[in-house]
Amino acid sequence: MRRVVEDPSDPCVRHTEEVLELRIVVRDLELRSVLASNELRELRRERDAAQKELARVAGDLAVVETQHAALTSLFVAAHQLHGTMDRETVLSRLEEIIVNFVGSEEFGVYEHTRGDELRRIAQVGMRDDVDPRLLQDLLAGIPLEIDEKRVGYIAIHRLLPHKPALEPADLELFNLLKTHAAAALLASRPSHDAQ
Amino acid sequence: MRTVTQGGSPHYKVTFVSYRMLPPREKKRRCFMRKKILVVDDSSTVTLMERMVLSRHAYDVVVANDGEEAIGVAKRELPDLILMDVVMPKMNGFDACKRIRQEESIHDVPIIMVTTRGEGTNVERGFESGCNDYVTKPINCTELLTKIHACIAG
């Protein structure tokens, strides 16, 4: 067998060695590139999953915020109605609740007198000559009852222009007003009658 | 710059510096401080509601019941933002807004009008009087908080 002795000073041999080394480097870089691509794909997948989770949590938070706002308005309504025994204050707070929480610009509050006559005790945006027994264009009627006794009712005729319709939160508020407004009106009646 | 003298001596020098004139580092520091909001409304029902909503989101709340009182409270408390009703006794929200824009110490406090009057003419009048944003009642809490955050951060 013939033995070939390579001369290291030969430029051809040197270049061949360099090419071989570069090929190894290139292969290594290719491998790293594949690994980096895989890692990038994995990170993108994790980012997408995190974004989806974030969107879900944001949605849940919005629902909780809405529920909290509804509960807050219910609490404030009850707090305001029962925070006074003065008839005028009860009525003005009832008006504030209906204007600011329901968003009505035309409504009346009616009460059964001791002689079972129905009379209007508060109103916003209504004509003075409307007969309570002949109410027309009623959007919502909320009976005010306590212990199954009818105290009066709230008649809502029109909402503010920027509020298109009643919402579920309004119905919850109506349920609260049904008993709490009735109780507040009854509680303030003796001082009013005394006056 | 204003100089206040108490009984001849000592002297207290109080300087009002507009938030916009502050260096960026100071602005950043103040961003992490608890913000103070002045709620102006003649309805105790609305002020209670807004107080409860804002307190839950780490805002300090001060209240005024009409436009005239609002100017005094704003000058004293130097709030970071004002929520202003429109229809109020003594001075309405539009006039109060104009007056606040003329006061040196509070002229750049953001003002959000909060009102039942959401008609275009009213909104236009609100912006003419110098308000930064407009929210209609019944209040949508998410909308209100978003606008407050945008006004304070901006």
Side-chain angles (χ1 to χ4, degrees):
Chain A
M1 192 177 172
R2 191 180 161 197
R3 192 177 171 198
V4 179
V5 179
E6 292 176 345
D7 180 5
S9 62
D10 182 0
C12 197
V13 171
R14 213 169 54 237
H15 285 148
T16 307
E17 282 176 355
E18 279 177 12
V19 167
L20 285 173
E21 279 174 16
L22 283 172
R23 275 185 184 161
I24 291 168
V25 170
V26 167
R27 203 172 302 133
D28 184 47
L29 285 173
E30 281 174 351
L31 189 66
R32 283 190 194 186
S33 167
V34 170
L35 288 173
S37 295
N38 288 343
E39 199 173 341
L40 184 65
R41 203 175 303 122
E42 181 66 18
L43 285 171
R44 280 185 178 150
R45 201 181 56 75
E46 282 179 18
R47 183 201 61 192
D48 292 345
Q51 280 177 343
K52 275 184 190 167
E53 180 68 5
L54 187 66
R56 190 188 63 75
V57 171
D60 288 352
L61 185 65
V63 171
V64 169
E65 284 294 341
T66 308
Q67 286 174 346
H68 181 265
L71 285 173
T72 305
S73 62
L74 293 179
F75 170 80
V76 170
H79 180 276
Q80 290 292 88
L81 287 171
H82 297 299
T84 178
M85 297 284 275
D86 177 63
R87 167 59 63 119
E88 293 305 315
T89 312
V90 167
L91 291 176
S92 74
R93 286 182 178 178
L94 190 53
E95 285 176 6
E96 286 175 7
I97 290 164
I98 298 169
V99 170
N100 294 298
F101 292 174
V102 179
S104 170
E105 64 175 359
E106 188 181 328
F107 63 88
V109 181
Y110 299 87
E111 185 182 39
H112 286 288
T113 59
R114 291 191 199 285
D116 208 27
E117 186 189 335
L118 198 61
R119 72 185 170 97
R120 190 163 65 199
I121 51 174
Q123 62 89 22
V124 167
M126 288 183 69
R127 294 201 327 267
D128 288 337
D129 57 346
V130 177
D131 181 353
R133 293 186 190 281
L134 299 171
L135 285 173
Q136 292 174 342
D137 302 327
L138 197 63
L139 187 68
I142 306 139
L144 305 178
E145 293 175 349
I146 191 159
D147 294 336
E148 295 181 357
K149 183 191 172 193
R150 179 72 54 88
V151 175
Y153 69 93
I154 299 170
I156 293 179
H157 296 278
R158 201 168 66 221
L159 300 176
L160 290 162
H162 56 267
K163 176 150 179 172
L166 291 171
E167 295 160 8
D170 297 324
L171 303 181
E172 286 179 31
L173 185 61
F174 292 163
N175 273 333
L176 179 133
L177 289 177
K178 183 180 173 181
T179 49
H180 287 256
L185 286 174
L186 273 184
S188 66
R189 195 181 261 179
S191 65
H192 178 65
D193 289 350
Q195 283 171 14
Chain B
M1 189 179 287
R2 205 174 287 179
T3 306
V4 181
T5 309
Q6 286 192 344
S9 151
H11 294 270
Y12 296 95
K13 202 172 268 185
V14 183
T15 309
F16 294 105
V17 181
S18 167
Y19 180 79
R20 287 177 195 151
M21 305 290 283
L22 292 172
R25 184 176 288 180
E26 179 61 13
K27 275 187 183 175
K28 198 173 180 183
R29 191 183 71 80
R30 291 194 183 188
C31 279
F32 292 102
M33 287 166 66
R34 227 174 133 88
K35 302 294 181 188
K36 190 186 284 181
I37 295 180
L38 169 59
V39 172
V40 189
D41 204 304
D42 59 325
S43 158
S44 61
T45 308
V46 175
T47 53
L48 179 60
M49 174 76 183
E50 290 182 358
R51 186 190 280 273
M52 288 187 70
V53 170
L54 297 174
S55 303
R56 192 170 159 266
H57 287 83
Y59 291 113
D60 289 329
V61 179
V62 283
V63 174
N65 296 311
D66 59 68
E68 206 172 278
E69 189 188 346
I71 296 164
V73 175
K75 283 160 80 173
R76 191 179 68 234
E77 299 283 342
L78 299 175
D80 296 286
L81 183 132
I82 300 172
L83 295 178
M84 180 84 75
D85 185 23
V86 172
V87 184
M88 289 183 291
K90 290 185 188 172
M91 185 188 288
N92 69 38
F94 297 134
D95 292 340
C97 196
K98 280 181 193 164
R99 283 275 308 277
I100 287 170
R101 292 292 175 243
Q102 291 164 1
E103 292 288 339
E104 189 194 347
S105 58
I106 49 173
H107 74 277
D108 61 348
V109 177
I111 300 174
I112 298 178
M113 289 284 182
V114 184
T115 176
T116 51
R117 311 312 320 172
E119 297 88 347
T121 49
N122 278 307
V123 176
E124 202 174 316
R125 206 177 149 199
F127 282 111
E128 277 171 6
S129 58
C131 82
N132 299 68
D133 217 328
Y134 216 92
V135 172
T136 51
K137 294 176 190 170
I139 296 168
N140 178 327
C141 293
T142 311
E143 181 195 10
L144 178 69
L145 290 165
T146 305
K147 290 191 171 181
I148 287 173
H149 185 74
C151 277
I152 289 180

